[in-house]
Amino acid sequence: MRRFVLCLMLVFVSTLFAEVFANFDSFLGAGVSNDLVVEGQRKQIDVLTNYGLQFGLDYGLHRGLRLGAIFSSQSFSVRFEGEILNFGLLCAGFEGLFAMGFLDIVLQVSGEAHWVISSFSCQDGQLSRASYTGNLFAGKAVFEKFLSENLSVAVGGGLKYFSVRELDSIGLKGFVPFALLRIGYSF
């Protein structure tokens, strides 16, 4: 019982110093070591790009551990064997990050997991609903500079692993190193 009360007190005391952080990221990456299977046939990928936007809402310490929810729009463009595959994913997930201060720069190291909640494809200029499923995992390092007490900008990069499928016709998985720009606000 004493351990339980001690844990509750520790959580309560840490919330006295905790803040809410909102982040808006834009990212761009190019695929490496990717695998594409179309209707049971393995295809050779010429170029894969991944770009999009991500919104995150974190709760935690200014310098220390933070946990939060993320929502992202991921667009993929894949060129293979003279064909082009374009599709987008709307994802939701969570992230955990640790922020460390170095002089007036904050280094954030984070890991995140996304699950596909909706998808769309664009073929021959026609936008249509698609049925992609799967998940994405990413690790990143971000250097953040506070412009004021609450507003910050950041640059960074990371590595994303993705595995998505559309019914039984298309399977795509691989790694995407990416760069990101961030605007953040703390409450």
Side-chain angles (χ1 to χ4, degrees), residues 27 50-53 71-76 87-92 114-121 130-136 162-165 172:
F27 57 88
N50 171 233
Y51 54 93
L53 303 171
F71 303 95
S72 66
S73 169
Q74 309 261 346
S75 296
F76 287 86
F87 64 93
L89 307 173
L90 299 175
C91 304
H114 305 247
W115 286 270
V116 176
I117 56 175
S118 183
S119 62
F120 57 91
S121 66
S131 56
Y132 284 92
T133 59
N135 44 30
L136 299 90
F162 61 91
S163 177
V164 294
R165 299 188 63 77
L172 179 64

Side-chain angles (χ1 to χ4, degrees), residues 29-166:
V32 294
S33 181
N34 300 299
D35 185 34
L36 174 65
V37 177
V38 178
E39 296 177 357
Q41 301 272 332
R42 187 173 306 275
K43 301 291 183 178
Q44 177 67 38
I45 295 175
D46 299 323
V47 177
L48 182 142
T49 56
N50 171 233
Y51 54 93
L53 303 171
Q54 178 174 308
F55 174 75
L57 201 57
D58 301 328
Y59 180 76
L61 301 174
H62 187 67
R63 305 264 197 294
L65 183 64
R66 300 181 199 166
L67 300 173
I70 50 177
F71 303 95
S72 66
S73 169
Q74 309 261 346
S75 296
F76 287 86
S77 182
V78 183
R79 189 175 73 200
F80 63 98
E81 298 177 3
E83 297 183 45
I84 296 177
L85 173 66
N86 295 310
F87 64 93
L89 307 173
L90 299 175
C91 304
F94 64 90
E95 75 174 333
L97 69 88
F98 189 80
M100 305 169 263
F102 296 107
L103 301 173
D104 58 346
I105 302 286
V106 176
L107 170 64
Q108 298 176 357
V109 179
S110 67
E112 53 191 47
H114 305 247
W115 286 270
V116 176
I117 56 175
S118 183
S119 62
F120 57 91
S121 66
C122 181
Q123 298 300 328
D124 300 323
Q126 299 293 322
L127 188 64
S128 63
R129 188 162 176 81
S131 56
Y132 284 92
T133 59
N135 44 30
L136 299 90
F137 302 97
K140 59 188 172 189
V142 176
F143 295 94
E144 183 177 40
K145 170 75 172 153
F146 277 85
L147 301 176
S148 68
E149 188 174 318
N150 297 352
L151 183 65
S152 66
V153 293
V155 295
L159 183 66
K160 184 182 304 180
Y161 171 77
F162 61 91
S163 177
V164 294
R165 299 188 63 77
E166 183 183 35

